[in-house]
């Protein structure tokens, strides 16, 4: 049940146990350990999850601190073997004594009893404690993610991508949408969908590990979450001399993992709002850089997404509002209109991304044109402005009244996105637009 006083973070009550557990461990040992709190807690949580999943009941304190350390290390090793790439190391950096204190606390909690939203929300809580909002690394609010998914309606036969996947919010909600919409309940089908159709890339190692962990929990199987620079294109690769790093592109990875890669049907993404690219080998390979010496990363993401889509493929991209209105970005807008049919623009409220950034943002939805298509004649575009973004000026969620006993942001956060999706569905009918055909 959700607290009537609102919540500083998502699902305050439900994550309450995990959060207070973390705060207690922080108080007792983590703050003084000198180690990275996120990494140490993440390793322990994965070991605990593996213990619960494999029904071993070995995550507890033993007669000595050393024996506890050895047992937990074994669980971490097994988890990494079963779920490769989720842990960056399979040994705690805490002393056996400190580790035992944490194990004692965590062993009383059954993580499998928590819903996925609760775990997702807890990861957000611990990630944001070491957050890099200034680098554009924050979780996209889950009701915004859900809005994008409901508008684009991805299907299980489609190839779906987030090239800046962070914690995997768009992939997670796509999986849930597809399961719900198509009544995909068979575990094998769910696993196949995750391992063949859902793709996530991110440059940040921590983000990709969190995304992998969440997708493992949601899809109960392997997933295609890979760390790489999504802006890299094959024509640039020869320009790098670093032989230790293979500098793979998204296309390289997809071609190596599937027989016939032809691009993506659906891309849902929220590229970082901050950061500029100045390297010429990037700028020279992007038309939208328009011969400039420095360009914002999100602009390059825009071009890269359209490039990665199949003709007819659909894109939802969250961008800072200046890209839609500023004079200096008219070149970008003209370029987009030559490459795609714009379906919709949804303006988000100014508090939506607080407390991470004050930037006002909008979501652009489009469908890639066939390469032979010239500039499309005039057509209708769906415009909407959200007037209830579900957050207050401190970035805290505003909850709906009466308070529901549910645990997903779409139902509990006070937003007006349902009206927007209903109006958009009517627009699609009026315009005779059908997705996925
Ligand atoms: C706003 S966050 C995305 C959050 C994500 N939607 C979620 O819900 O967690 C932007 C992400 O872009 C990633 N990123 C930035 N530059 C990148 C690049 N060149 N290639 C791949 N990922 C990149 C960042 O590491 C960050 O995780």
């Amino acid at each position: 049940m959700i607290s009537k006083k609102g919540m500083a973070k998502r699902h305050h009550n439900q994550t309450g146990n995990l959060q207070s557990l973390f705060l207690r461990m922080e108080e007792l040992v983590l703050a003084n350990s000198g180690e990275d709190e996120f990494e140490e807690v993440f390793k322990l949580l994965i070991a605990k999850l593996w213990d619960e999943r494999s029904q071993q009941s070995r995550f507890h304190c033993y007669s000595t601190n050393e024996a506890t350390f050895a047992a937990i290390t074994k669980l971490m090793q097994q988890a990494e073997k079963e779920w490769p790439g989720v842990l960056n190391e399979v040994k705690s950096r805490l002393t056996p004594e400190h580790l035992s204190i944490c194990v004692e606390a965590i062993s009383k909690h059954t993580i499998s009893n928590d819903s996925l939203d609760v775990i997702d929300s807890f990861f957000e809580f611990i990630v944001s404690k070491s957050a890099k909002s200034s680098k554009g690394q924050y979780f996209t609010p889950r009701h915004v993610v859900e809005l994008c998914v409901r508008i684009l309606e991805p299907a299980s036969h489609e190839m779906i991508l987030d090239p800046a996947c962070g914690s995997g919010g768009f992939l997670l909600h796509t999986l849930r949408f597809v399961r719900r919409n198509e009544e995909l309940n068979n575990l094998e089908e769910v696993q196949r969908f995750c391992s063949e159709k859902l793709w996530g890339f991110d440059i940040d190692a921590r983000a990709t590990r969190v995304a992998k962990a969440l997708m493992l929990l949601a899809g109960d199987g392997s997933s295609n979450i890979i760390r790489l620079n999504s802006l890299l294109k094959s024509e640039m690769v020869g320009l790098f001399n670093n032989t230790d790093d293979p500098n793979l592109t998204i296309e390289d990875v997809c071609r190596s993992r599937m027989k016939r890669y032809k691009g993506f049907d659906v891309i849902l993404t929220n590229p970082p709002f901050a950061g500029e690219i100045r390297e010429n080998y990037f700028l020279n390979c992007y038309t939208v850089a328009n011969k400039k010496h420095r360009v914002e990363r999100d602009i390059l993401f825009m071009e890269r997404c359209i490039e990665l889509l199949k003709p007819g493929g659909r894109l939802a991209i969250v961008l800072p509002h200046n890209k839609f209105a500023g004079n200096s970005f008219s070149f970008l807008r003209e370029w987009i209109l030559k490459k795609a049919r714009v379906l919709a623009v949804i303006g988000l409220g100014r508090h939506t991304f607080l407390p991470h950034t004050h930037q006002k943002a909008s979501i652009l939805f489009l469908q890639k044109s066939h390469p032979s298509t010239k500039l499309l004649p005039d057509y209708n575009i769906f415009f909407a402005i959200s007037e209830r973004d579900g957050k207050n000026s401190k970035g805290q969620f505003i909850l709906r009244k009466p308070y529901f006993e549910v645990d997903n942001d779409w139902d509990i956060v006070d937003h007006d996105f349902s009206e927007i999706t209903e109006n958009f569905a009517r627009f699609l009918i009026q315009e005779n637009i059908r997705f996925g055909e």
Side-chain angles (χ1 to χ4, degrees):
M1 177 98 142
I2 298 298
S3 154
K4 287 200 175 187
K5 289 181 185 144
M7 52 185 177
K9 289 279 166 188
R10 290 188 290 146
H11 315 131
H12 181 77
N13 269 15
Q14 293 154 14
T15 47
N17 281 342
L18 277 176
Q19 278 188 21
S20 51
L21 191 70
F22 174 82
L23 293 172
R24 182 99 188 102
M25 288 192 295
E26 191 180 40
E27 202 176 279
L28 291 172
V29 290
L30 293 171
N32 278 328
S33 70
E35 298 300 340
D36 184 315
E37 296 178 359
F38 167 83
E39 294 296 350
E40 294 315 310
V41 170
F42 189 73
K43 275 184 268 187
L44 284 170
L45 286 182
I46 297 297
K48 177 76 163 86
L49 270 172
W50 169 246
D51 188 52
E52 290 174 14
R53 281 285 165 101
S54 55
Q55 300 181 335
Q56 299 189 52
S57 305
R58 293 201 175 146
F59 193 103
H60 55 79
C61 285
Y62 291 76
S63 54
T64 64
N65 292 336
E66 286 67 28
T68 305
F69 194 96
I72 302 304
T73 305
K74 192 158 182 205
L75 285 172
M76 287 177 192
Q77 286 165 347
Q78 290 173 348
E80 178 58 20
K81 202 167 168 203
E82 186 68 18
W83 302 324
V86 173
L87 295 177
N88 63 340
E89 58 181 2
V90 288
K91 202 171 182 185
S92 173
R93 287 177 178 244
L94 300 175
T95 61
E97 191 190 353
H98 281 173
L99 183 86
S100 297
I101 296 172
C102 294
V103 170
E104 160 100 62
I106 297 177
S107 62
K108 294 180 184 134
H109 192 97
T110 308
I111 299 173
S112 313
N113 288 348
D114 296 319
S115 74
L116 197 58
D117 288 286
V118 168
I119 297 172
D120 179 28
S121 168
F122 177 65
F123 280 152
E124 179 173 9
F125 170 72
I126 50 173
V127 168
S128 59
K129 281 188 122 279
S130 56
K132 297 180 191 152
S133 319
S134 57
K135 289 193 185 170
Q137 290 172 350
Y138 45 81
F139 285 38
T140 308
R142 291 332 192 205
H143 59 305
V144 175
V145 168
E146 183 69 20
L147 169 68
C148 296
V149 173
R150 289 185 187 216
I151 291 274
L152 285 194
E153 297 184 87
S156 64
H157 65 274
E158 295 184 304
M159 286 276 291
I160 297 146
L161 165 73
D162 181 352
C165 70
S167 62
F170 286 103
L171 303 175
L172 199 65
H173 282 253
T174 295
L175 173 60
R176 291 169 146 204
F177 177 85
V178 167
R179 288 191 72 168
R180 206 168 60 223
N181 204 31
E182 300 180 23
E183 294 179 13
L184 202 70
N185 293 321
N186 178 306
L187 207 59
E188 262 177 43
E189 281 178 328
V190 172
Q191 281 178 346
R192 196 169 330 119
F193 175 60
C194 289
S195 61
E196 290 175 11
K197 304 293 187 187
L198 273 184
W199 296 78
F201 297 89
D202 200 285
I203 203 163
D204 184 69
R206 182 172 293 190
T208 46
R209 283 191 286 118
V210 170
K212 272 185 187 175
L214 285 170
M215 289 307 291
L216 282 167
L217 287 169
D220 205 24
S222 59
S223 59
N224 294 303
I225 312 275
I226 292 140
R227 182 183 175 204
L228 55 67
N229 184 341
S230 297
L231 295 176
L232 211 61
K233 298 193 192 193
S234 54
E235 56 264 43
M236 296 172 197
V237 172
L239 299 167
F240 297 95
N241 297 321
N242 186 355
T243 45
D244 295 338
D245 184 350
N247 287 311
L248 292 176
T249 63
I250 291 182
E251 291 89 339
D252 291 332
V253 174
C254 292
R255 285 195 191 107
S256 72
R257 291 191 177 203
M258 78 182 80
K259 281 194 194 119
R260 282 188 295 274
Y261 165 73
K262 286 190 184 149
F264 290 89
D265 299 289
V266 178
I267 300 182
L268 300 127
T269 197
N270 172 195
F273 293 166
E276 283 182 340
I277 304 283
R278 293 165 186 245
E279 295 94 331
N280 279 335
Y281 46 80
F282 275 96
L283 300 181
N284 292 342
C285 292
Y286 281 88
T287 312
V288 291
N290 197 18
K291 303 192 181 84
K292 293 205 180 98
H293 298 298
R294 38 183 239 234
V295 173
E296 287 155 53
R297 265 191 297 189
D298 48 21
I299 296 183
L300 301 192
F301 263 99
M302 182 71 232
E303 178 169 339
R304 187 74 175 122
C305 287
I306 293 190
E307 184 179 51
L308 288 161
L309 280 178
K310 290 177 188 166
R314 329 194 274 291
L315 168 68
I317 183 166
V318 186
L319 290 171
H321 192 67
N322 60 353
K323 303 293 164 337
F324 297 85
N327 280 344
S328 42
F329 300 107
S330 57
F331 181 82
L332 172 73
R333 295 192 293 270
E334 279 163 25
W335 181 87
I336 293 171
L337 290 172
K338 284 185 212 147
K339 298 284 170 190
R341 177 194 165 137
V342 174
L343 294 167
V345 178
I346 300 179
L348 299 171
R350 60 177 59 256
H351 298 147
T352 309
F353 287 88
L354 287 176
H356 308 296
T357 168
H358 285 87
Q359 287 251 31
K360 203 167 149 15
S362 296
I363 318 171
L364 172 66
F365 298 87
L366 58 77
Q367 201 160 17
K368 181 173 172 173
S369 303
H370 199 272
S372 60
T373 311
K374 298 272 176 300
L375 191 63
L376 294 166
D378 276 357
Y379 57 85
N380 291 325
I381 298 175
F382 177 86
F383 283 100
I385 295 175
S386 164
E387 284 168 355
R388 287 198 332 271
D389 57 21
K391 293 250 188 106
N392 66 18
S393 58
K394 290 184 184 146
Q396 296 168 325
F397 283 100
I398 302 168
L399 303 184
R400 274 173 211 247
K401 296 171 191 170
Y403 300 90
F404 295 112
E405 287 190 46
V406 289
D407 61 8
N408 65 76
D409 288 355
W410 184 268
D411 289 324
I412 54 176
V413 173
D414 186 26
H415 59 74
D416 54 8
F417 296 169
S418 299
E419 285 111 281
I420 294 176
T421 50
E422 281 158 24
N423 289 337
F424 182 73
R426 276 193 280 277
F427 169 80
L428 286 183
I429 294 169
Q430 275 161 20
E431 296 294 312
N432 203 16
I433 299 173
R434 286 198 200 92
F435 290 155
E437 288 185 340

